Amino acid sequence: MKKIVCLGTSHTYGGAEEYDYTFYEGWPGQLSKYLEEQGIENYTYNGGESSFSSYFYPTKIINFYNEYKPDMFVIEVPDIDKVDVEISSAITGTYITVSYTHLTLPTICSV
């Protein structure tokens, strides 16, 4: 049995939280179903999360590895990651908002 962890954003999760998606409607479920059809037994974990930033991938990888000891990770790598920072005027005396968009680089992670 292959243990696979799929990480990513709402695309991995299966949509917005207000919709009731089944596991097999998202791509992790489609991957699991395809592997089963090919005769490959698997247990696929859907580690997708809405509004999830790639900055937290390392932490999630470590947590999933320590908990489940998967054979592999399949990771959604968004081509653009946006970071919004807001600092309350109560802290600095002036309201500060900064948006930063950058391209992420694909990373391959094997266990």
Side-chain angles (χ1 to χ4, degrees):
M1 166 98 47
K2 296 289 183 190
K3 291 191 283 184
I4 302 166
V5 171
C6 299
L7 292 181
T9 65
S10 58
H11 300 111
T12 301
Y13 171 75
E17 291 181 13
E18 60 268 11
Y19 298 104
D20 188 22
Y21 286 93
T22 67
F23 173 72
Y24 289 103
E25 289 177 291
W27 69 260
Q30 293 293 312
L31 172 64
S32 178
K33 182 178 175 183
Y34 174 80
L35 293 173
E36 289 289 338
E37 290 169 353
Q38 304 307 308
I40 301 169
E41 290 185 46
N42 69 90
Y43 191 94
T44 302
Y45 301 89
N46 185 341
E49 192 173 323
S50 295
S51 300
F52 183 62
S53 171
S54 60
Y55 288 119
F56 297 102
Y57 282 4
T59 301
K60 286 199 109 174
I61 289 168
I62 291 167
N63 290 342
F64 268 102
Y65 183 78
N66 288 338
E67 183 74 22
Y68 301 109
K69 303 292 190 262
D71 297 297
M72 68 181 70
F73 287 86
V74 180
I75 302 171
E76 172 199 349
V77 179
D79 59 353
I80 294 179
D81 211 353
K82 182 179 178 187
V83 178
D84 291 323
V85 177
E86 295 180 16
I87 300 174
S88 168
S89 60
I91 296 173
T92 64
T94 306
Y95 177 76
I96 300 170
T97 182
V98 177
S99 288
Y100 177 71
T101 302
H102 72 280
L103 299 176
T104 57
L105 299 174
T107 302
I108 298 172
C109 179
S110 58
V111 177

Short mmCIF file of all heavy atoms in Angstrom, two decimals, residues 12 14 28 46:
data_model
loop_
_atom_site.label_atom_id
_atom_site.label_comp_id
_atom_site.label_asym_id
_atom_site.label_seq_id
_atom_site.Cartn_x
_atom_site.Cartn_y
_atom_site.Cartn_z
N THR A 12 -6.38 21.97 -4.30
CA THR A 12 -6.13 20.62 -3.77
C THR A 12 -7.25 20.23 -2.82
O THR A 12 -7.75 19.11 -2.87
CB THR A 12 -4.77 20.58 -3.04
OG1 THR A 12 -3.75 20.94 -3.98
CG2 THR A 12 -4.49 19.21 -2.48
N GLY A 14 -10.29 21.05 -2.80
CA GLY A 14 -11.50 20.65 -3.52
C GLY A 14 -12.49 21.77 -3.69
O GLY A 14 -13.62 21.54 -4.07
N PRO A 28 -6.84 15.07 -5.50
CA PRO A 28 -6.28 13.97 -4.73
C PRO A 28 -7.15 12.70 -4.83
O PRO A 28 -6.63 11.58 -4.95
CB PRO A 28 -6.22 14.50 -3.30
CG PRO A 28 -6.09 15.98 -3.48
CD PRO A 28 -6.97 16.28 -4.65
N ASN A 46 -5.61 14.07 1.74
CA ASN A 46 -5.82 15.38 1.14
C ASN A 46 -5.40 16.43 2.16
O ASN A 46 -6.11 16.71 3.12
CB ASN A 46 -7.28 15.57 0.73
CG ASN A 46 -7.50 16.87 -0.02
OD1 ASN A 46 -6.69 17.78 0.04
ND2 ASN A 46 -8.61 16.95 -0.72
#
